[in-house]
């Protein structure tokens, strides 16, 4: 039955607790009690749109089929996707001025093979920034066979990332010369947008991967960007992820995490070389 009056749906403590448990179990996300209002606001319009009379009814519907589209939508709505081009720029400086020269120095001639992973890529700004940094940093005469795997748990974010189309204001953090080189301007019913160039797009493979489940990776990696997602996980999940990242990196491979995140306080084998940058020695 469609509700006829508009009233604020209450998210009970029990409903919130169920959501916390499901999110932790499925994505490793550790929702603190303070996040209750955030959860309510992220789900409320969707609960109404589905003509549900309560969050309990909605949660029952979502959980009745964990392989269904509603479960995907539920996870998409609850994940925090904030990102930007050249976010935490020191990481890209390190990538350009330390990581790449070291890699190139190891092999004097011929193409250098590089495999990287943007492990919680959200709407794609991070892997496209990496692709631009790679393109811009290569000395002339050197070729690099570089591929970046870009993954996220959210299918909605991956669709945006694959599409590579961004509203004009998202490009504020991209230097103008790079905007000109790697983006094509378009107009959709009066709204200006920028479309990522095929040169960047073809360096990236997009895939849905849940970090706390098995990873379908078939090759060892040279660098991993796993930034601003650890913050939602607990220490034990950090420990397990650090162990798995270490395992999947080649010797000398580098792990970048968010500047507000840390591997301190957990056991790991990485060497810390700069803020939020770790190397497998
Ligand atoms: C705040 S964004 C970070 C984007 C980018 N790495 C950056 O630093 O700008 C966090 C991303 O982590 C994703 N995420 C949350 N839990 C995940 C999980 N278990 N596996 C993979 N991705 C996850 C979310 O969907 C979201 O897109």
């Amino acid at each position: 039955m469609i509700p006829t009056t508009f009233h604020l749906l209450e998210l009970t403590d029990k409903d919130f607790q169920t959501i916390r448990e499901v999110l932790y179990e499925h994505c490793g996300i550790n929702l603190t009690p303070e996040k209750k209002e955030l959860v309510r606001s992220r789900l409320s319009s969707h609960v109404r749109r589905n003509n549900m009379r309560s969050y309990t009814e909605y949660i029952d519907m979502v959980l009745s089929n964990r392989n269904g589209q509603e479960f995907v939508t539920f996870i998409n709505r609850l994940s925090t996707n904030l990102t930007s081009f050249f976010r935490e720029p020191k990481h890209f400086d390190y990538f350009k001025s330390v990581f790449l020269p070291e890699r190139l120095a190891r092999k004097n001639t011929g193409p250098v093979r590089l495999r990287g992973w943007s492990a919680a890529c959200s709407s794609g700004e991070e892997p496209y920034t990496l692709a631009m940094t790679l393109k811009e940093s290569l000395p002339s005469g050197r070729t690099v066979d570089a591929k970046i795997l870009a993954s996220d748990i959210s299918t909605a974010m991956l669709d945006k990332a694959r599409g590579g189309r961004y509203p004009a204001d998202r490009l504020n953090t991209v230097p103008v010369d790079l905007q000109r080189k790697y983006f094509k301007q378009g107009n959709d019913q009066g709204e200006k947008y920028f479309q990522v160039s095929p040169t960047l797009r073809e360096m990236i493979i997009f895939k849905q991967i849940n970090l706390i489940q098995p990873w379908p990776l078939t090759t060892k990696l040279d660098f991993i960007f796993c930034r601003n997602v650890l913050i939602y996980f607990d220490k034990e999940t950090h420990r397990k992820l650090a162990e798995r990242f270490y395992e999947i990196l080649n010797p000398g491979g580098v792990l970048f995490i968010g500047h507000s995140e840390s591997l301190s306080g957990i056991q790991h084998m990485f060497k810390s070389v700069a803020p939020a940058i770790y190397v497998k020695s």
Side-chain angles (χ1 to χ4, degrees), residues 29-79:
I29 293 177
N30 192 14
L31 280 179
T32 54
E34 301 78 62
K35 294 280 159 55
K36 186 175 168 190
E37 182 48 32
L38 183 77
V39 167
R40 198 194 63 72
S41 68
R42 284 195 178 165
L43 292 178
S44 71
S45 62
H46 191 65
V47 171
R48 286 180 191 288
R49 213 171 302 126
N50 276 280
N51 299 327
M52 299 281 157
R53 280 158 299 184
S54 66
Y55 283 92
T56 315
E57 200 179 333
Y58 171 70
I59 293 164
D60 287 348
M61 186 263 286
V62 166
L63 297 186
S64 66
N65 180 9
R66 287 191 186 218
N67 297 317
Q69 186 51 44
E70 265 313 313
F71 191 78
V72 174
T73 306
F74 169 78
I75 298 295
N76 286 350
R77 287 200 158 245
L78 289 180
S79 52

Side-chain angles (χ1 to χ4, degrees), residues 68-136:
Q69 186 51 44
E70 265 313 313
F71 191 78
V72 174
T73 306
F74 169 78
I75 298 295
N76 286 350
R77 287 200 158 245
L78 289 180
S79 52
T80 295
N81 310 114
L82 182 77
T83 187
S84 57
F85 288 102
F86 292 95
R87 181 178 193 184
E88 303 182 13
K90 285 205 161 63
H91 279 163
F92 300 100
D93 294 343
Y94 182 93
F95 190 82
K96 187 167 65 183
S97 57
V98 181
F99 170 76
L100 270 178
E102 270 178 21
R103 279 297 146 128
L104 294 173
R106 279 193 208 174
K107 198 172 174 230
N108 285 335
T109 53
V112 176
R113 188 178 188 270
L114 280 179
R115 293 293 177 262
W117 185 16
S118 167
C121 71
S122 189
S123 39
E125 287 85 336
E126 183 176 274
Y128 288 126
T129 303
L130 274 166
M132 277 188 270
T133 308
L134 265 165
K135 287 262 175 217
E136 290 300 302

Side-chain angles (χ1 to χ4, degrees), residues 26-29 75 79-84 87-88 118-123 126 151-154 157 209-212 225-229 232-233:
H26 185 75
C27 342
I29 293 177
I75 298 295
S79 52
T80 295
N81 310 114
L82 182 77
T83 187
S84 57
R87 181 178 193 184
E88 303 182 13
S118 167
C121 71
S122 189
S123 39
E126 183 176 274
S151 70
D152 202 278
I153 197 170
S154 163
M157 285 302 120
I209 298 178
N210 182 344
L211 282 167
I212 67 155
F225 275 64
C226 182
R227 306 187 310 159
N228 302 302
V229 62
Y232 305 111
F233 300 156

